[in-house]
Amino acid sequence: MTDWLEFITALTLFMVSHMFPVRPPLRPWLIARLGTKGYFISYSFLSLLVLGWLIVAAARAPFVAVLPQWEIFRWAPLVVMPLACLIAVGGVMVQNPLSFGGLGKQPFDPDKPGMLAATRHPLLAAMALWAVAHVLANGDLAHVILFGLFAGFAVMGIFLIDRRKQRQLGQGEWQRLARGTARLNLIRLPLSPLPLVLAGSVMLVLILLHEPVIGYVPLPW
């Protein structure tokens, strides 16, 4: 049990850090003392710090095989991650009244939804793809728990945000904005040049940083 202590501690801290600081009354209390900008900067830094520790702790946990260690599974991240990068990059390039993460300058046009045609929750969809690919590539108990948690969170978030946005916008306005979008439909994935180039660049950076940050080369050969 002591061999699992670091992973269990890191996982518990990660869950606690994502449950309490964003809930009332703690969130308003923190914002009142740190300011809105200070709160989000501090929360983001804490989240990344705990996430980094959790990933390292998962790698240090005892290896208990859960999934078959098939060579083809090791290709999953290289096949799936370019798609996840494209969805994430394309998603943040457009304004998104139906989810979060949109940083585009132009107002959202329901007749030209861009990446939202494939998924109105690009960041959550990208997270789910990233998590599932890494479950397959690793296959041991600690990583199945870790990435399974992320996949479950992402899928649950997609449904919860849809319900919340329908309440906030009203059924009629939500249907007007969402008519050309989908929860996830890769057949409708737009392939514009700029998002493709940016996604390729992000993928290259992730590959180059994987060994110095995570500890091993993410290539199956």
Side-chain angles (χ1 to χ4, degrees), residues 121-216:
H121 306 285
L123 296 183
L124 290 175
M127 178 187 291
L129 291 170
W130 164 76
V132 170
H134 282 77
V135 165
L136 294 175
N138 290 279
D140 62 291
L141 180 59
H143 286 96
V144 167
I145 293 173
L146 171 63
F147 292 115
L149 177 69
F150 282 117
F153 170 80
V155 172
M156 182 176 64
I158 288 173
F159 286 90
L160 291 177
I161 291 175
D162 270 354
R163 290 174 56 186
R164 186 177 69 203
K165 287 295 182 178
Q166 289 181 51
R167 292 196 305 268
Q168 291 176 345
L169 297 170
Q171 191 65 27
E173 179 65 3
W174 189 87
Q175 288 181 346
R176 184 186 74 84
L177 294 172
R179 66 178 184 268
T181 69
R183 283 190 176 130
L184 183 62
N185 186 349
L186 298 180
I187 296 176
R188 302 168 64 181
L189 189 71
L191 301 176
S192 303
L194 181 57
L196 283 170
V197 171
L198 292 176
S201 301
V202 171
M203 182 66 186
L204 179 60
V205 170
L206 291 176
I207 291 175
L208 293 176
L209 291 180
H210 205 280
E211 183 179 17
V213 174
I214 305 301
Y216 57 89

Side-chain angles (χ1 to χ4, degrees), residues 25-49:
L26 186 55
R27 176 173 172 166
W29 185 86
L30 289 171
I31 291 176
R33 283 152 181 80
L34 300 174
T36 302
K37 185 176 181 180
Y39 166 79
F40 282 107
I41 291 175
S42 301
Y43 182 65
S44 298
F45 178 77
L46 174 64
S47 297
L48 290 173
L49 192 65

